[in-house]
Amino acid sequence: MPRKGLNVSAVTGSDEMRSATPAAGSRAAALVRAAVLAAAGLGITFTATLHEQLVFDRSVVAVTFAALAASHLYSWAVQRRAERTPARVLLAAVALAAAIAMLVVATPAAFALVLAAWALVSGLLEFIGGAVGGATKQDATLMGATGVLLAVLALLFRDDQVATLGFFGAYAIIGAVFLGISAFDGTRRSATDPAAAPGR
């Protein structure tokens, strides 16, 4: 009997470790993404005198896009295999493509169009990721909604690169704050995680 009790304890401990690992990975992924957005938002905030230079604007956004692509790939890598979906990889691909496109834009309108295209596609992919269970719904909803809003604002102010960069900075700050808070929320596991179900 003692051996049987020991085995039950070992199995229970193993289950707890497996349950905790995805949550820890999800938290780390959210914090990495929050750090990227925070760095971009603060960088934009404290470089206001340079915002009229298109080369500076597109460089800042391109670097941010590249860093976001890396953070999306990291998020995909730390997810459990059963929860991996193409949405996170597509987000990384879209961010990387936008980073490359941003390096060659030559006018404020082109700058705004690339930013709007990235924001819209990324926002829709966030919604899809939340719907299929590859991301927590609260993160997907906030980032998806702010992405779509950023796309609309970038198109409306497409000839004003200073305003467009300012909107992107605001998007980055909002995303960083929300993801940072959400990372320590005990309910941040995705809907596909059985341990997240009520009463468990």
Side-chain angles (χ1 to χ4, degrees):
M1 289 296 283
R3 289 183 60 189
K4 186 175 181 181
L6 179 60
N7 290 338
V8 171
S9 177
V11 170
T12 302
S14 178
D15 288 343
E16 289 177 352
M17 289 179 64
R18 284 196 300 269
S19 177
T21 300
S26 179
R27 176 176 295 122
L31 288 175
V32 168
R33 191 176 174 194
V36 171
L37 291 172
L42 291 175
I44 291 171
T45 300
F46 292 106
T47 55
T49 57
L50 300 174
H51 293 180
E52 293 185 2
Q53 301 177 24
L54 183 60
V55 173
F56 172 82
D57 295 349
R58 71 186 191 185
S59 297
V60 169
V61 178
V63 169
T64 303
F65 284 167
L68 284 175
S71 73
H72 287 310
L73 289 177
Y74 173 73
S75 178
W76 180 85
V78 299
Q79 282 182 320
R80 295 187 302 180
R81 295 198 177 200
E83 294 183 354
R84 288 178 178 173
T85 68
R88 193 59 54 187
V89 176
L90 288 173
L91 279 166
V94 169
L96 186 58
I100 295 172
M102 191 59 71
L103 292 175
V104 299
V105 298
T107 64
F111 171 76
L113 288 175
V114 172
L115 181 61
W118 167 82
L120 180 59
V121 175
S122 294
L124 295 177
L125 286 173
E126 291 283 1
F127 285 128
I128 292 172
V132 300
T136 54
K137 288 187 177 180
Q138 58 183 6
D139 293 355
T141 300
L142 188 281
M143 298 309 295
T146 52
V148 173
L149 178 60
L150 174 60
V152 172
L153 291 173
L155 289 175
L156 289 176
F157 293 85
R158 58 184 176 275
D159 294 321
D160 187 345
Q161 67 192 49
V162 175
T164 302
L165 186 66
F167 293 136
F168 179 68
Y171 164 89
I173 291 295
I174 293 172
V177 171
F178 182 85
L179 291 174
I181 294 173
S182 177
F184 295 98
D185 183 354
T187 63
R188 71 167 286 99
R189 291 180 185 176
S190 68
T192 59
D193 188 349
R200 296 196 182 186

